[in-house]
Amino acid sequence: MEKYETVIGLEIHAELCTESKLFCHCAYIFGALANDCTCPVCLGMPGTLPVINKRALEFAIRAGLAIGCEITVDSKFDRKNYFYPDLPKNYQISQYDLPLCKNGQVTFEFEGERRTVALRRIHLEEDAGKSVHAEVTGDATRSFMDFNRAGVPLLEIVSEPELHSPEEAIAYCRAVKEILEYIGVSDCNMEEGSLRCEPNISLRPRGSQELGTRTEIKNKNSFQELIDAMEYEVKRQTRILDAGGEVVQETLLFDAATGRTVAMRGKEEADDYRYFPEPDLVHVQIDAEWIEEIQLTLPELPAARRKRFITDYGISPENAEFLTGTRQLAEFFDEAAQLSGEPTACANWIMGDLMRLLNTADSDIHESNVTPAHLNELIQLIDNATISGKIAKSVLDDVFETGKMPKQIVAEKGLAQITDTSEIETIVLQVVEEHPGPAQDYRDGTKKAIGFLVGQVMRATRGKANPQLVNQILTQVLSTE
Ligand code: ADP
Ligand code: MG
Ligand code: ZN
């Protein structure tokens, strides 16, 4: 048993995918030319005034409801003052004492158990721009500012310090990410920085109820880096405590290249920010009816959907986990299962051949030519013995390429199974004549010799003969001679 208990609380920042920024009309397009997505408001020009984006409020409420928070009907924005080159106004409009959402909890599976972590709050704030450090030809490194991201609505989701290992923290993050994606408020693209996590970590003697001094690790936008950073930090703090030292409360940067954390700044207290109510914005009042309306548009959440797939469709928990991996995948499966009434077959096709095709083409299910209607038709063609499972695989390849319906492909390529007994019989007789050895082996009692002969008949018909019929007819022919 380890000496210390690890305690982690996470701050997750998610950019909302609204059409415009939080306080102006600019659209934020990732990868746009530097400073193309800006206007006097998000550049922080003196004399400009912010106006709240209603959609951003709606998305924040949506997230709050999905995570079981209380919505603050009387809320406001506050100024958080600090100087940073990428913060053009020298303050960030955020929420201090009246966050839009309070409490709530996130439930997820971890090491085969259900875990629930309480949330402290979710608030809305504006994102900052980005400093770009670049080497200029014939010159030293210079720093440039790109304000495209400045003013993008950001959701800050703050958990209670209730996570007890880096792995558990990741499982929690994945659950939050999944919910945000499902409800369509953020694309959660970590490479593009739409989802960033800041873990706060402390250790305490096992059994102690008091929290130890924590450090905070800045903005991690990949799960791998996040886990490396947390593991390093747990080890670093263990070393300090073992040597009888004290952890200093500070903000750290994790350097992925060296795999170590380095101090960035001493931890500031709320007082340092000189928070005060944003005087340029009105208070935010949320009607109960609006909350109700938003509640009604919430889709089924991933956990509920997984449960329904298991109970209603008889899908195994592992497969249900896979099939709810993204909302698009879950909806595809759900629709196909309902159309065909054969959830198991649908799950097998999706998780097997369709995934193989998608992986090879490096594309996603919602961009693919294959729809639930295609899959349904394919399954019907197998069920009514028009094609064999093997031919069906090649039909699916064609659907994936062309988007044609399976029936059309089968008709155009003449892939329908031969179910005409006399036609099969002719071929069987021919095969038996051409391969007297295996035929004799069968008659002499080596029953498995029939496999070779079935294979030859299938080959002669290019896989189109109905295998059951071939078996039946071969057995008859071999035993009557
Ligand atoms: P701030 O970082 O702005 O001071 P909070 O004090 O609200 O904000 O805490 C931020 C995060 O740090 C929360 O997720 C909280 O759970 C976590 N946290 C607070 N104290 C500790 C601690 N002693 N150990 C680990 N995490 C902590
Ligand atoms: Mg913090
Ligand atoms: Zn703007």
Side-chain angles (χ1 to χ4, degrees), residues 286-333:
I286 315 248
D287 299 348
E289 294 94 83
W290 196 34
I291 298 176
E292 192 97 326
E293 243 172 69
I294 298 170
Q295 178 82 56
L296 288 174
T297 66
L298 276 184
E300 183 182 37
L301 295 174
R305 187 165 273 178
R306 261 195 290 282
K307 215 161 134 200
R308 181 166 60 82
F309 284 1
I310 295 168
T311 49
D312 291 9
Y313 292 148
I315 298 295
S316 73
E318 296 75 41
N319 290 0
E321 182 79 35
F322 182 92
L323 291 166
T324 50
T326 65
R327 185 175 167 185
Q328 287 90 353
L329 184 59
E331 279 169 1
F332 187 106
F333 166 72

Side-chain angles (χ1 to χ4, degrees), residues 187-239:
D187 64 22
C188 294
N189 185 329
M190 296 185 84
E191 282 111 76
E192 295 184 358
S194 329
L195 191 84
R196 287 135 32 198
C197 303
E198 296 178 1
N200 287 264
I201 302 177
S202 65
L203 300 184
R204 65 180 169 199
R206 207 160 270 287
S208 158
Q209 291 306 308
E210 252 167 79
L211 288 173
T213 306
R214 68 174 150 140
T215 56
E216 172 173 342
I217 307 174
K218 264 296 149 202
N219 272 343
K220 291 289 107 209
N221 59 353
S222 95
F223 284 133
Q224 191 53 52
E225 259 188 42
L226 189 61
I227 203 152
D228 290 347
M230 288 188 285
E231 277 171 359
Y232 176 84
E233 188 51 20
V234 168
K235 281 194 204 127
R236 194 187 67 91
Q237 291 188 16
T238 305
R239 272 200 307 274

